[in-house]
């Protein structure tokens, strides 16, 4: 059973781990990488215990480089100008 | 995750002046991979470990412990603070962002007499006898209250309270609460993450705030204690009423303003987990809110019928925790997903999630009913006082010689 549902905006990007993280009740961190999100993975696991959370996010936000560029606000500004 | 023991503190100080109070014993168990157990080892312990902490014992008796995500803050009867465990966000206040395997004094607070401390997920709070509030650690959600989102590795005075008198601080996962003295109406403040309503500042859907703001709803109520953990907040009034706000318990909706939990209950203490709350009633009975989350804190079939309905229909229920051998309970402590209590005959019981040995029962099993923890040395109860404290996935017990001043 998933311990919790957590929105991606509530997770923190951890440079050292190269993963989005969220506190686990064991004291460690639930972790999910950008690559996993790109593949549509929803489960963030804790390396220290059996618990995991379900990550809520828009698949398009992580889909691939092309769609990321489409979301780029600078591009939109250019389009508006 | 915090507790004000001012009464005990004063009696201990008096004792200090008279001389030695004898040997104090400290045990720890549970998750230990960041040094939070003080054992000098980086591993989980399934049974209570008797600790030898020269740096701590030389500073005098411990008046309280606060256990956070993976760090511990100890307050001595002389108003000194020592910390250990995970320090990578600056939560130890040692001036650097590294772990410490053994208790080290927070030098920066050396000139202040600290009266109360709290440990959050990755930040810490301290209150001095002069009414100043200090914070250190992770500030990325504004939980340090300094008007920015920076982290600090040494305690910094929260300037918002400079001309006010702070009495208590409570640190949750990503938020903090402060209780002021002699400030009717505007006595409780919140800062940090507020998405789940845990600041109680009546601005719906506020993501975070980095300066203290008044918690609503206490204009005509005198608050005597506050607590915070996970995305929950709670306060107890002088007449024993319990209020909670923030993330809902047991699947109920979040509350952005303090809600009265059960008006018929006289509450002497509340301790919050990440999905449950423990309540100690005036007659030594323990009740629990939201214990069915994650399926490990209680078994609804084994629980007695709910004692009270909440003030508002649709709110979660308070369940009675089966009374251990009919004994009165004198202290409660909630970890993220586990619970502990001390009975008035000096027995520690634990229940809930046990995967890291945080129940101290020698295994990693979950327990839905309180189970007795066996410390390695037993003393006649009349001569000692036992206290228990829970961090996210670990537990501490302290046995102190009973003082003549405590009857
Ligand atoms: Zn974990």
């Amino acid at each position: 059973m998933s311990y919790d549902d957590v929105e991606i905006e509530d997770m923190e990007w951890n440079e050292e781990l190269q993963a989005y993280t969220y506190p686990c009740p064991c004291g460690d961190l639930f972790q999910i990488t950008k690559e996993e999100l790109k593949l549509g993975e929803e489960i963030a696991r804790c390396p220290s215990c059996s618990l995991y959370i379900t990550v809520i996010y828009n698949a398009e936000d992580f889909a691939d480089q092309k769609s990321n560029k489409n979301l780029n606000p600078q591009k939109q500004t250019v389009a508006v100008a | 995750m915090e507790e004000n023991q001012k009464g005990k503190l004063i009696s201990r100080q008096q004792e200090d002046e008279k001389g030695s109070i004898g040997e104090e014993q400290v045990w720890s168990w549970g998750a230990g991979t960041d040094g939070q157990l003080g054992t000098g080892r980086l591993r989980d312990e399934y049974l209570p470990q008797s600790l030898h902490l020269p740096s701590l014992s030389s500073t005098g008796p411990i008046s309280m412990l606060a256990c956070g995500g993976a760090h511990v803050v100890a307050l001595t009867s002389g108003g000194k603070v020592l910390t250990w465990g995970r320090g990578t966000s600056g939560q130890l206040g040692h001036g650097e962002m590294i772990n410490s395997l053994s208790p080290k004094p927070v030098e920066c607070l050396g000139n202040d007499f600290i009266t109360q401390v709290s440990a959050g997920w990755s930040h810490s709070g301290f209150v001095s006898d002069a009414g100043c509030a200090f914070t250190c650690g992770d500030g990325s959600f504004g939980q340090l209250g300094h008007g920015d989102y920076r982290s600090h590795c040494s305690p910094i005075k929260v300037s918002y309270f400079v001309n006010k008198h702070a009495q208590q601080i409570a640190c949750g996962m990503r938020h903090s609460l402060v209780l002021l003295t002699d400030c009717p109406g505007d006595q409780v403040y919140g800062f940090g993450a507020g998405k789940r309503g845990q600041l109680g500042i009546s601005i719906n859907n506020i993501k975070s705030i980095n300066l203290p703001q008044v918690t609503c709803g206490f204009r005509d109520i005198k608050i005597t204690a506050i607590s915070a953990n996970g995305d929950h907040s709670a306060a107890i009034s002088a007449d024993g009423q319990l209020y909670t706000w923030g993330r809902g318990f047991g699947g109920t909706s979040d509350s952005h303003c303090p809600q009265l939990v059960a008006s018929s209950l006289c509450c002497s203490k509340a301790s919050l987990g990440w999905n449950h709350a423990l309540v100690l009633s005036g007659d030594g009975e323990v009740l629990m809110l939201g214990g069915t989350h994650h399926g490990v804190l209680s078994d609804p079939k084994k629980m007695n019928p709910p004692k009270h309905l909440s003030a508002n229909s649709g709110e979660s229920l308070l369940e009675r925790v089966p009374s251990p051998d009919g004994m009165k309970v004198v202290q409660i402590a909630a970890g993220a997903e586990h619970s502990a209590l001390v009975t008035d005959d000096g027995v520690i019981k634990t229940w809930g999630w046990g995967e890291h040995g945080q129940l101290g029962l020698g295994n990693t099993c979950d327990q839905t009913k309180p189970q007795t923890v066996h410390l390695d040395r037993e003393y006649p109860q009349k001569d000692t006082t036992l206290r228990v404290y829970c961090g996210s996935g670990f537990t501490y017990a302290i046995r102190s010689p009973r003082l003549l001043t405590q009857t």
Side-chain angles (χ1 to χ4, degrees):
Chain A
M1 190 176 93
S2 172
Y3 175 71
D4 205 352
D5 294 342
V6 176
E7 289 178 40
I8 191 77
E9 65 166 27
D10 294 325
M11 299 187 75
E12 291 180 89
W13 176 252
N14 185 310
E15 201 60 43
E16 203 177 317
L17 298 169
Q18 284 293 301
Y20 288 95
T21 66
Y22 192 79
C24 175
C26 79
D28 206 340
L29 296 166
F30 294 114
Q31 304 171 16
I32 192 164
T33 63
K34 274 181 187 155
E35 288 64 37
E36 287 173 313
L37 292 167
K38 216 173 276 182
L39 293 169
E41 178 63 64
E42 301 185 312
I43 300 300
R45 295 180 191 281
C46 171
S48 297
C49 72
S50 66
L51 301 184
Y52 57 90
I53 55 171
T54 305
V55 182
I56 316 284
Y57 67 104
N58 277 325
E60 309 93 74
D61 295 352
F62 294 91
D64 56 33
Q65 292 290 3
K66 258 182 195 167
S67 51
N68 270 347
K69 271 182 190 155
N70 291 342
L71 291 171
N72 191 326
Q74 281 176 347
K75 269 241 161 149
Q76 284 167 5
T77 313
V78 170
V80 169
Chain B
M1 278 211 268
E2 73 302 311
E3 190 176 340
N4 194 322
Q5 300 210 343
K6 219 168 184 175
K8 194 166 280 177
L9 196 111
I10 289 158
S11 63
R12 279 166 172 279
Q13 274 171 254
Q14 290 165 348
E15 196 67 23
D16 266 0
E17 284 155 18
K18 282 188 240 157
S20 161
I21 79 148
E23 196 190 356
E24 190 165 60
Q25 276 185 286
V26 183
W27 291 266
S28 66
W29 60 90
T33 46
D34 290 274
Q36 64 266 52
L37 297 185
T39 52
R41 296 183 296 269
L42 297 174
R43 66 164 198 229
D44 295 359
E45 298 291 350
Y46 301 160
L47 283 170
Q49 302 296 304
S50 182
L51 301 182
H52 305 282
L53 305 169
S55 59
L56 193 56
S57 43
S58 64
T59 328
I62 301 165
S63 61
M64 70 174 288
L65 279 189
C67 299
H71 71 294
V72 182
V73 181
L75 177 63
T76 73
S77 62
K80 298 285 168 237
V81 178
L82 296 98
T83 57
W84 64 98
R86 185 154 66 209
T88 47
S89 302
Q91 61 267 58
L92 300 183
H94 295 160
E96 49 190 6
M97 299 210 175
I98 53 168
N99 295 356
S100 176
L101 289 187
S102 58
K104 282 208 314 204
V106 179
E107 307 281 5
C108 192
L109 295 170
N111 294 326
D112 297 275
F113 191 101
I114 302 299
T115 52
Q116 194 256 341
V117 295
S118 181
W121 168 256
S122 56
H123 72 298
S124 305
F126 317 87
V127 169
S128 72
D129 64 346
C132 296
F134 303 83
T135 56
C136 66
D138 186 3
S140 38
F141 295 85
Q143 65 267 55
L144 302 188
H146 302 308
D148 57 23
Y149 295 98
R150 285 165 56 201
S151 298
H152 290 280
C153 56
S154 288
I156 310 263
K157 194 181 284 182
V158 183
S159 52
Y160 185 88
F161 299 114
V162 148
N163 294 316
K164 301 178 170 73
H165 198 280
Q167 186 194 338
Q168 287 174 41
I169 189 163
C171 300
M173 185 192 286
R174 294 166 166 178
H175 75 293
S176 307
L177 305 175
V178 166
L179 174 65
L180 301 186
T181 312
D182 302 327
C183 206
D186 297 341
Q187 45 193 330
V188 180
Y189 287 76
F191 44 96
K195 196 179 173 187
R196 307 303 297 263
Q198 61 266 53
L199 304 182
I201 56 176
S202 77
I203 301 169
N204 283 355
N205 303 320
I206 188 161
K207 209 175 168 190
S208 63
I209 186 167
N210 56 30
L211 279 173
Q213 191 148 338
V214 177
T215 296
C216 63
F218 293 136
R219 193 143 291 274
D220 301 312
I221 302 159
K222 184 174 166 49
I223 299 301
T224 54
I226 51 170
S227 45
N229 197 5
D231 295 328
H232 299 295
S233 299
I236 297 176
S237 67
D239 55 355
Q241 301 281 284
L242 172 67
Y243 299 83
T244 63
W245 60 104
R247 185 184 174 126
F249 291 103
T252 60
S253 55
D254 297 349
S255 173
H256 291 259
C257 253
Q259 303 288 320
L260 181 60
V261 172
S263 51
S264 53
L265 179 75
C266 181
C267 173
S268 70
K269 209 208 149 189
S271 188
L272 302 175
W274 285 14
N275 289 285
H276 75 297
L278 295 179
V279 184
L280 182 60
S281 78
D283 5 297
E285 197 177 28
V286 182
L287 297 104
M288 186 160 61
L289 263 177
T292 50
H293 183 93
H294 190 51
V296 298
L297 278 158
S298 76
D299 179 349
K301 284 173 297 235
K302 287 181 193 159
M303 299 296 281
N304 297 328
K307 188 188 184 187
H308 300 286
L309 277 168
S310 297
N312 301 326
S313 58
E315 290 281 310
S316 53
L317 295 176
L318 267 174
E319 296 171 295
R320 189 187 289 116
V321 172
S323 167
D325 318 317
M327 290 310 300
K328 262 186 153 182
V329 174
V330 293
Q331 205 213 330
I332 51 170
E337 294 292 344
H338 72 292
S339 301
L341 58 78
V342 182
T343 63
D344 73 348
D345 61 344
V347 174
I348 293 181
K349 306 233 179 200
T350 57
W351 72 106
W353 187 40
E355 185 170 343
H356 287 269
Q358 60 264 56
L359 304 185
L361 304 171
N363 56 47
T364 57
C365 300
D366 300 342
Q367 298 291 338
T368 54
K369 281 198 297 186
Q371 307 290 319
T372 300
V373 177
H374 296 283
L375 301 176
D376 57 4
R377 265 196 280 171
E378 304 295 338
Y379 279 92
Q381 196 273 330
K382 63 178 173 60
D383 299 331
T384 59
T385 305
L386 201 54
R387 291 172 285 163
V388 69
Y389 303 91
C390 293
S392 279
F394 61 101
T395 311
Y396 269 80
I398 301 177
R399 196 196 292 279
S400 329
R402 187 174 287 246
L403 304 174
L404 294 170
T405 45
Q406 293 177 311
T407 48

